[in-house]
C-alpha cells in the first residue's frame, strides 16, 4: 500500500468538489428544498444548537458574557454545560450576515458538514495515495457513512471534517516544516476543538501520538527550525484555546460535572454496534436498524470493510515473496504443546460464553460465565506470547510492515486503537462484559475524559482509517488497470457507497418562526430586561429533560433569564425546581421561586392533562395573593410572583449546633457500618443508602444524652440531590416510645440565589419543631421514582 503517482489536475479537483456538493444535497433530501422552515431528525438537540448559535451571535460585540447564557437561571457560566459551538459560530458567521433565519443558518451548516467531510478526506487521501479516483471514494465513505445519518439531529457531532484537514497539514509539516504548513495545522486543529469538544479531546490524543511517531521517524527534532515552528504552533493554539478551555474546566470543577463510569459504559460501543444503522437506512435498516440507538449506530459501510480487507490480503500476498527466517526445529514440540494449551483455553472461553449461568470449581479453580474475563485475558496473553516467541511469525509481521508505507502503518495503529477505545471502560457484546478496555485508563488518567460520556464517538477515527485504507486498496489496484475499466470500477464503488447510506427522504420537522411562535412570548419579550421566569409544566424525570429544549429555543425571541434549560449537564437547582414545580402552585414552591428571585411563571395551561389543569387552576385561586396573571394567550398564562415570604418572615433567631458528636451512635436500614460518617464532623465524608430511596429506609441516632433543639438539618455537601423526599421525623426519650415530631411530603430544600453554585450550602431542614429527646429517627415513607439515593454528609441539631 504505497503512494501511487499523482493523477489529474485542478479541473478534476473542482469537478470532484462539485460532485461532493451535489451528493450532499441529494443524500440529505429534502433539507435543501425546505431549507428555511424545517430541519432533519429529532429536533431537540438541534433546537439547542440554534439557541447556542443565536446566543453567540447576540453577544458578539455586546456587553454580555459568552459564558453567562440566559438559561438555567440563576447559574453562571452555563454555556459550558454543553458544547459552546464557537467553531460553528465562526463558520456560520458569513451566513448569519446574509440571513437572520436560524433554520436557514442551521441547514446550511448541516449541508456544509457533509461537503467539508468529503473534501477533507479527499484532500488527505489524495496526498497519501496520489490518486484522485481513490481519494474521491474515500471522501464518499467518510462523509456519507451511516454514522453521520444517525446524528442528523446533532450538528456539532457532524463536524469532524477538520480532523482529516489537520492530518493533511501534519503530514505535509513532517515532510516540509514550512510556516504555511505550521499555520494550516494549527488553524484546522483549533477549528476541530472549537467545533466539537468530543472530537477535540479524542483527536488530540491521536494527534499527539502521530506527532511523536513522525518526529521519531523523520528526526526533525534535531533541527532548530522545527522547534521554532513548533513553538509558533503551540503559541497560536494556546492563545486561541486557553480562553475557551480554562473557563470550561473551572465551571466543570465548580459544579462537580463528572460522568460516573457506569454512564460512560452505557454510552460506549458494544461489538454489535459496529453493525447498527439508523432505522431509516433503506438498505441495512431492516437488518441492523434495531441493534442500537443513535449513539451506537456505528456501521462504517460494507464497501469500506471489504476494500480494507481486500487491501490487507493483497499486501500479505505481496509480502510473501520476501524471505523468512528458518523454523526453530528444536522448539517444535514446545510450540505444539503451547498451541494445545491455547486451544484448550479457547474451548473454555467459548464454553463459558455459551453458558451464561455456568459455575463450577475444577482442581481448586472456580470457572464461571460471570468471570469469563479471567480465562479470556489469560488466553490473549498466552496467544500473544506464543506469537512473539515464534521468530517466523515475527518475520511475517516484519515483512508485512515493510511492504506497507509508514503512513499506512500509522493509520492502521490509529484505527485499531480508536476501535478499542470506542468500547469505553469495558469491551462488551449484547451487554455482557468480555474485557476491561483501554479507555478505563484514559478515563482515570487523561484530563477532561471524566467529563465525556460517549466513548462510542471514537468510531469516527475508525471510519476515517477505513476510508484511507479503502483508498490505498483502490489506488494500488488502479495502477495496473486500463483507463476504461478504471472509470467503471470507481463509479461502481461510489454507487455502492451511496446506496449503503441511502436514507432519503430524511425525517423532517417544522420549526416555528415569526408568526408561528406562540403569541405569549410577545408578552414575555415586553417584560423588563432583567426579568426571570420559569416555564411549566417542566419535565418530570431526568430522561425527559429534552422537553425543555423548546423553552430554550423560544427564549431566543425574548432573551429573558430562564430557569429551564437543556444542555450536556443540568445543575442541581434546576432539578430541584423541576421537582418543586410538579406540585406548583404550593407555598413551598412559591417560597423557592422567591428565594431564587424568579419573578414570573409562564404556565402552558392548555398543554396540561385535564385533571392536572383543573387542579392547577383551583390552586392558583388559593394562592392568588402570591401570583398575579399579567398576560394570557392561546392557553398559556404569564403570572408575576408577588413578594410575600420576605415581608412575612419575622426573622429567624441565630442558631448554633448542639450535642456532643463523640458520644452519638447510629443505626441505619442500609449501610449501617458507615452511618457514623453522617455525624463525624467531616462534611467530605457521608453515609448513603447506596440505592434509590425506598419506603422504610431509616436512620436512627442515639444522642448519648437528652438534648433540646429547634431544628434538624441534614447537609448533603456535594450531593445536593440526595435529600429525602417523603419522610417522618420521630423522637424518643428512651428508644422505646416514639413520638412523631415532623414530616415531609414531596419535600425539597429552599435554595437562595446567592448559594446555588456553592454545593456545600445545600441543606435539608427536615424539622423546625422544637423538641427535647435523646433518640432521633428519620424514616422514608415513600419510594421515589427519580432513582436518587439518600445521603447525609452531616446531621446538625440547632438551637438558640
Amino acid at each position: 500500500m504505497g503512494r501511487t503517482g499523482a493523477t489529474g489536475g485542478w479541473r478534476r479537483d473542482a469537478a470532484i468538489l462539485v460532485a461532493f456538493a451535489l451528493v450532499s444535497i441529494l443524500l440529505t433530501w429534502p433539507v435543501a428544498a425546505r431549507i428555511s422552515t424545517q430541519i432533519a431528525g429529532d429536533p431537540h438537540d438541534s433546537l439547542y444548537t440554534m439557541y447556542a448559535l443565536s446566543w453567540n451571535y447576540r453577544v458578539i460585540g455586546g456587553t454580555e458574557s459568552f459564558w453567562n447564557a440566559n438559561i438555567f437561571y440563576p447559574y453562571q457560566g452555563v454555556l459550558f454545560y454543553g458544547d459552546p459551538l464557537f467553531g460553528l459560530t465562526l463558520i456560520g458567521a458569513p451566513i448569519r450576515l446574509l440571513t437572520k433565519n436560524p433554520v436557514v443558518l442551521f441547514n446550511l451548516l448541516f449541508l456544509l458538514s457533509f461537503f467539508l467531510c468529503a473534501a477533507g478526506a479527499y484532500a488527505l487521501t489524495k496526498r497519501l495515495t496520489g490518486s484522485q479516483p481513490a481519494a474521491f471514494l474515500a471522501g464518499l465513505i467518510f462523509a456519507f457513512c451511516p454514522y453521520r445519518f444517525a446524528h442528523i439531529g446533532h450538528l456539532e457531532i457532524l463536524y469532524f471534517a477538520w480532523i482529516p484537514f489537520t492530518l493533511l497539514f501534519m503530514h505535509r509539516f513532517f515532510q516540509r516544516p514550512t510556516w504555511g504548513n505550521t499555520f494550516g495545522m494549527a488553524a484546522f486543529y483549533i477549528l476541530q476543538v472549537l467545533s466539537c469538544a468530543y472530537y477535540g479531546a479524542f483527536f488530540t490524543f491521536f494527534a499527539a501520538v502521530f506527532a511523536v511517531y513522525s518526529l521519531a521517524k523523520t528526526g526533525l527534532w534535531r533541527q532548530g527550525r522545527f522547534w521554532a515552528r513548533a513553538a509558533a504552533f503551540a503559541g497560536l493554539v494556546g492563545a486561541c484555546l486557553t480562553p475557551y478551555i480554562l473557563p470550561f474546566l473551572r465551571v466543570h470543577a465548580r459544579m462537580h460535572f463528572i460522568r460516573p463510569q457506569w454512564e460512560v459504559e452505557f454510552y460506549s460501543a458494544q461489538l454489535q454496534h459496529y453493525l447498527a444503522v439508523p432505522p431509516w437506512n433503506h438498505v441495512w435498516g431492516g437488518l441492523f436498524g434495531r441493534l442500537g440507538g443513535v449513539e451506537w449506530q456505528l456501521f462504517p459501510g460494507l464497501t469500506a470493510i471489504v476494500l480494507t480487507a481486500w487491501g490487507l490480503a493483497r499486501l500479505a500476498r505481496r509480502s510473501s515473496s520476501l524471505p523468512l527466517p528458518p523454523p526453530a526445529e528444536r522448539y517444535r514440540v514446545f510450540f505444539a504443546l503451547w498451541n494445545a494449551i491455547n486451544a484448550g483455553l479457547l474451548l473454555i472461553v467459548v464454553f463459558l460464553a455459551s453458558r451464561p449461568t455456568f459455575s463450577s470449581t475444577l482442581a481448586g479453580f472456580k470457572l464461571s460465565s460471570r468471570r469469563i474475563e479471567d480465562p479470556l485475558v489469560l488466553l490473549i496473553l498466552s496467544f500473544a506470547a506464543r506469537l512473539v516467541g515464534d521468530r517466523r511469525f515475527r518475520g511475517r509481521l516484519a515483512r508485512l510492515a515493510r511492504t506497507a508505507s509508514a503512513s499506512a502503518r500509522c493509520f492502521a495503529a490509529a484505527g485499531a486503537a480508536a476501535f478499542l477505545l470506542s468500547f469505553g471502560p469495558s469491551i462488551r457484546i449484547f451487554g455482557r462484559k468480555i474485557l476491561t478496555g483501554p479507555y478505563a485508563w484514559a478515563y482515570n488518567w487523561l484530563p477532561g475524559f471524566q467529563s465525556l460520556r460517549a466513548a462510542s464517538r471514537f468510531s469516527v477515527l475508525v471510519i476515517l482509517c477505513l476510508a484511507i485504507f479503502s483508498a490505498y486498496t483502490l489506488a494500488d489496484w488502479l495502477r495496473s488497470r486500463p483507463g476504461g475499466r478504471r472509470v467503471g470500477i470507481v463509479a461502481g464503488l461510489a454507487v455502492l457507497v451511496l446506496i449503503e447510506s441511502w436514507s432519503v427522504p430524511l425525517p423532517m420537522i417544522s420549526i416555528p418562526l415569526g408568526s408561528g411562535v406562540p403569541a405569549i412570548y410577545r408578552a414575555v419579550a415586553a417584560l423588563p430586561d432583567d426579568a426571570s421566569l420559569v416555564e411549566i409544566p417542566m419535565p418530570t424525570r431526568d430522561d425527559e429533560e429534552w422537553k425543555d429544549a423548546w423553552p430554550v429555543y423560544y427564549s431566543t425571541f425574548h432573551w429573558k433569564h430562564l430557569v429551564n434549560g437543556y444542555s450536556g449537564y443540568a445543575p442541581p437547582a434546576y432539578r430541584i425546581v423541576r421537582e418543586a414545580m410538579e406540585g406548583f402552585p404550593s407555598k413551598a414552591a412559591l417560597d423557592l421561586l422567591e428565594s431564587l428571585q424568579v419573578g414570573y411563571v409562564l404556565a402552558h395551561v392548555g398543554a396540561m392533562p385535564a385533571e392536572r389543569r383543573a387542579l392547577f387552576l383551583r390552586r392558583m385561586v388559593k394562592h392568588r395573593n402570591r401570583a398575579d396573571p399579567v398576560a394570557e394567550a392561546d392557553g398559556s398564562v404569564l403570572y408575576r410572583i408577588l413578594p410575600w415570604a420576605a415581608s412575612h418572615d419575622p426573622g429567624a433567631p441565630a442558631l448554633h449546633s448542639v450535642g456532643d458528636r463523640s458520644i452519638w451512635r447510629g443505626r441505619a436500614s442500609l449501610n449501617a457500618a458507615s452511618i457514623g460518617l453522617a455525624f463525624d464532623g467531616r462534611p467530605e465524608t457521608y453515609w448513603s443508602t447506596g440505592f434509590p430511596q425506598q419506603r422504610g429506609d431509616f436512620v436512627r441516632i442515639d444522642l448519648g444524652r437528652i438534648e433540646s433543639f429547634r431544628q434538624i438539618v441534614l447537609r448533603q455537601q456535594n450531593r445536593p440531590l440526595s435529600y429525602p423526599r417523603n419522610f417522618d421525623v420521630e423522637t424518643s426519650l428512651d428508644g422505646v416510645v416514639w413520638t412523631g415530631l415532623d414530616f415531609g411530603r414531596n419535600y425539597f430544600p429552599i435554595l437562595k440565589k446567592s448559594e446555588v453554585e456553592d454545593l456545600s450550602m445545600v441543606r435539608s431542614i427536615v424539622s423546625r419543631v422544637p423538641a427535647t429527646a435523646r433518640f432521633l429517627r428519620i424514616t422514608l415513607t415513600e419510594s421515589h421514582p427519580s432513582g436518587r439515593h439518600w445521603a447525609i454528609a452531616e446531621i446538625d441539631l440547632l438551637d438558640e
Side-chain angles (χ1 to χ4, degrees):
M1 285 185 178
R3 186 177 187 274
T4 65
T7 59
W10 67 268
R11 289 186 178 85
R12 185 177 293 181
D13 288 335
I16 286 174
L17 293 179
V18 170
F20 286 151
L22 293 176
V23 172
S24 297
I25 293 172
L26 175 64
L27 262 67
T28 59
W29 195 261
V31 171
R34 305 174 189 176
I35 198 164
S36 62
T37 58
Q38 294 186 346
I39 60 173
D42 187 322
H44 300 99
D45 284 326
S46 301
L47 290 171
Y48 174 79
T49 298
M50 286 186 279
Y51 161 81
L53 291 173
S54 297
W55 171 264
N56 290 344
Y57 291 126
R58 179 175 185 266
V59 300
I60 290 175
T63 59
E64 295 178 88
S65 167
F66 268 111
W67 331 130
N68 297 329
N70 67 310
I71 59 175
F72 289 129
Y73 177 82
Y75 284 94
Q76 302 289 304
V78 298
L79 202 64
F80 284 117
Y81 290 5
D83 204 320
L85 307 180
F86 294 149
L88 301 188
T89 302
L90 180 62
I91 302 162
I95 304 172
R96 175 71 176 189
L97 292 174
L98 298 174
T99 177
K100 303 297 183 183
N101 186 321
V103 179
V104 172
L105 172 65
F106 180 92
N107 281 330
L108 287 177
L109 286 173
F110 175 82
L111 294 170
L112 190 60
S113 74
F114 287 86
F115 172 79
L116 289 173
C117 270
Y122 171 77
L124 173 62
T125 49
K126 180 187 173 186
R127 173 80 183 183
L128 294 173
T129 67
S131 170
Q132 287 176 308
F136 171 68
L137 184 70
L140 294 180
I141 290 172
F142 188 57
F144 303 102
C145 57
Y147 172 86
R148 290 182 57 81
F149 290 93
H151 286 282
I152 55 175
H154 305 144
L155 185 61
E156 75 279 11
I157 302 303
L158 296 177
Y159 266 86
F160 46 81
W162 314 123
I163 292 177
F165 279 116
T166 306
L167 288 172
L168 168 65
F169 278 93
M170 289 185 74
H171 191 271
R172 290 163 55 104
F173 176 85
F174 284 105
Q175 289 183 341
R176 293 183 61 226
T178 65
W179 286 113
N181 289 332
T182 302
F183 292 128
M185 181 171 60
F188 285 115
Y189 173 73
I190 291 167
L191 269 176
Q192 186 57 73
V193 174
L194 294 180
S195 295
C196 181
Y198 267 97
Y199 301 138
F202 292 166
F203 177 58
T204 296
F205 172 73
F206 280 89
V209 173
F210 183 83
V212 171
Y213 171 82
S214 299
L215 272 180
K217 184 177 182 300
T218 61
L220 273 180
W221 57 273
R222 301 186 186 93
Q223 301 179 20
R225 63 171 183 161
F226 162 77
W227 293 108
R229 287 152 179 75
F233 172 84
L236 183 59
V237 169
C240 292
L241 296 185
T242 299
Y244 160 70
I245 292 175
L246 289 185
F248 181 94
L249 294 177
R250 282 197 296 267
V251 167
H252 280 237
R254 182 176 72 241
M255 299 304 300
H256 296 266
F257 285 159
I258 293 177
R259 302 290 186 185
Q261 186 162 320
W262 67 263
E263 186 178 7
V264 178
E265 287 197 352
F266 178 78
Y267 283 98
S268 296
Q270 299 182 38
L271 284 170
Q272 74 275 11
H273 292 152
Y274 274 93
L275 291 176
V277 298
W280 50 80
N281 182 290
H282 294 300
V283 175
W284 301 113
L287 288 174
F288 306 135
R290 297 183 179 180
L291 286 178
V294 169
E295 289 292 350
W296 305 280
Q297 293 164 0
L298 311 179
F299 186 49
L302 185 61
T303 305
I305 295 172
V306 170
L307 281 173
T308 300
W310 182 34
L312 292 175
R314 287 171 61 87
L315 194 66
R317 186 166 62 250
R318 186 176 303 152
S319 69
S320 63
S321 61
L322 300 177
L324 281 176
E329 292 294 334
R330 56 180 175 173
Y331 296 120
R332 184 174 56 183
V333 175
F334 174 73
F335 282 138
L337 180 60
W338 200 344
N339 291 340
I341 292 173
N342 288 339
L345 284 171
L346 178 62
L347 289 175
I348 291 174
V349 169
V350 172
F351 177 79
L352 292 177
S354 61
R355 299 290 189 277
T357 60
F358 178 82
S359 179
S360 181
T361 301
L362 181 64
F365 294 97
K366 185 175 181 179
L367 293 176
S368 171
S369 57
R370 294 185 177 181
R371 299 285 300 175
I372 191 174
E373 183 177 9
D374 295 339
L376 184 58
V377 169
L378 183 60
L379 172 63
I380 292 172
L381 293 176
S382 177
F383 186 70
R386 164 67 181 85
L387 295 179
V388 172
D390 187 341
R391 64 178 183 174
R392 284 182 65 82
F393 177 79
R394 294 199 306 271
R396 290 188 181 94
L397 285 181
R399 72 184 188 182
L400 184 64
R402 287 198 303 270
T403 306
S405 67
S407 296
R409 295 196 297 269
C410 183
F411 283 112
F419 180 70
L420 292 175
L421 288 167
S422 70
F423 295 114
S426 300
I427 300 175
R428 295 170 297 153
I429 182 169
F430 293 105
R432 191 174 180 198
K433 181 178 178 180
I434 301 173
L435 285 172
T436 297
Y439 192 96
W441 173 85
Y443 177 84
N444 289 318
W445 295 103
L446 292 183
F449 270 66
Q450 290 190 344
S451 294
L452 305 172
R453 67 179 179 183
S456 59
R457 294 174 185 173
F458 264 112
S459 59
V460 300
L461 292 162
V462 178
I463 297 168
L464 176 60
C465 291
L466 287 173
I468 290 171
F469 272 88
S470 297
Y472 272 129
T473 300
L474 182 58
D476 185 56
W477 184 82
L478 288 176
R479 285 185 301 176
S480 58
R481 290 298 182 271
R485 292 186 61 187
R486 289 160 58 101
V487 174
I489 290 295
V490 173
L493 290 173
V495 169
L496 284 177
V497 170
L498 300 184
I499 288 176
E500 282 197 87
S501 292
W502 191 258
S503 303
V504 173
L506 295 182
M508 305 291 290
I509 186 168
S510 297
I511 302 299
L513 293 165
S515 60
V517 175
I520 193 66
Y521 289 107
R522 288 194 282 276
V524 175
L527 296 175
D529 290 342
D530 61 349
S532 56
L533 72 149
V534 60
E535 294 195 34
I536 60 173
M538 296 181 78
T540 57
R541 304 193 310 268
D542 292 357
D543 59 3
E544 290 183 343
E545 288 175 352
W546 50 266
K547 293 179 179 179
D548 265 345
W550 283 104
V552 167
Y553 168 73
Y554 284 131
S555 78
T556 63
F557 297 94
H558 60 75
W559 293 119
K560 302 302 183 283
H561 298 299
L562 183 67
V563 174
N564 308 70
Y566 180 64
S567 191
Y569 287 92
Y574 162 78
R575 286 179 167 162
I576 291 172
V577 172
R578 200 192 73 198
E579 290 192 28
M581 291 299 101
E582 291 182 37
F584 184 86
S586 66
K587 179 183 181 302
L590 287 161
D591 286 348
L592 174 61
L593 294 181
E594 186 172 347
S595 182
L596 291 173
Q597 299 180 28
V598 177
Y600 296 86
V601 175
L602 177 54
H604 299 290
V605 182
M608 299 177 183
E611 184 177 343
R612 171 79 174 91
R613 180 166 61 249
L615 178 62
F616 173 83
L617 294 174
R618 287 198 302 271
R619 285 179 173 177
M620 287 307 302
V621 172
K622 178 181 177 182
H623 293 282
R624 61 181 177 271
N625 62 326
R626 299 198 63 180
D628 180 31
V630 295
E632 181 176 358
D634 300 329
S636 297
V637 183
L638 179 64
Y639 294 91
R640 182 168 66 94
I641 303 300
L642 302 176
W644 188 91
S647 61
H648 288 73
D649 185 357
L655 302 178
H656 63 275
S657 181
V658 299
D660 181 359
R661 294 169 186 266
S662 66
I663 61 174
W664 289 11
R665 298 293 180 269
R667 292 174 52 195
S669 57
L670 293 168
N671 296 324
S674 63
I675 186 60
L677 300 177
F679 47 82
D680 63 354
R682 300 167 58 207
E684 65 272 15
T685 64
Y686 66 98
W687 166 85
S688 172
T689 55
F691 291 91
Q693 296 181 26
Q694 296 292 321
R695 181 177 182 177
D697 291 347
F698 73 86
V699 167
R700 170 176 162 166
I701 307 296
D702 178 357
L703 304 177
R705 65 190 183 203
I706 295 176
E707 299 282 1
S708 295
F709 47 87
R710 299 177 66 86
Q711 285 188 11
I712 303 172
V713 178
L714 308 183
R715 279 190 270 169
Q716 271 75 50
Q717 195 66 14
N718 293 327
R719 295 158 191 84
L721 299 177
S722 298
Y723 57 88
R725 270 66 174 181
N726 297 278
F727 55 87
D728 284 337
V729 182
E730 300 170 287
T731 58
S732 175
L733 293 172
D734 56 9
V736 177
V737 178
W738 292 86
T739 302
L741 177 67
D742 210 336
F743 64 90
R745 299 294 180 265
N746 298 317
Y747 171 84
F748 47 85
I750 304 299
L751 306 174
K752 295 181 179 179
K753 177 184 176 181
S754 60
E755 297 175 349
V756 293
E757 295 196 0
D758 184 356
L759 301 186
S760 66
M761 298 301 294
V762 179
R763 289 167 166 78
S764 301
I765 304 176
V766 296
S767 175
R768 298 178 185 268
V769 180
T772 299
R774 172 172 174 170
F775 296 90
L776 167 68
R777 185 167 65 192
I778 306 173
T779 305
L780 300 189
T781 57
E782 297 289 342
S783 301
H784 196 265
S786 71
R788 313 282 186 213
H789 299 185
W790 179 20
I792 305 174
E794 286 296 314
I795 300 175
D796 293 325
L797 304 181
L798 304 180
D799 199 9
E800 296 183 23

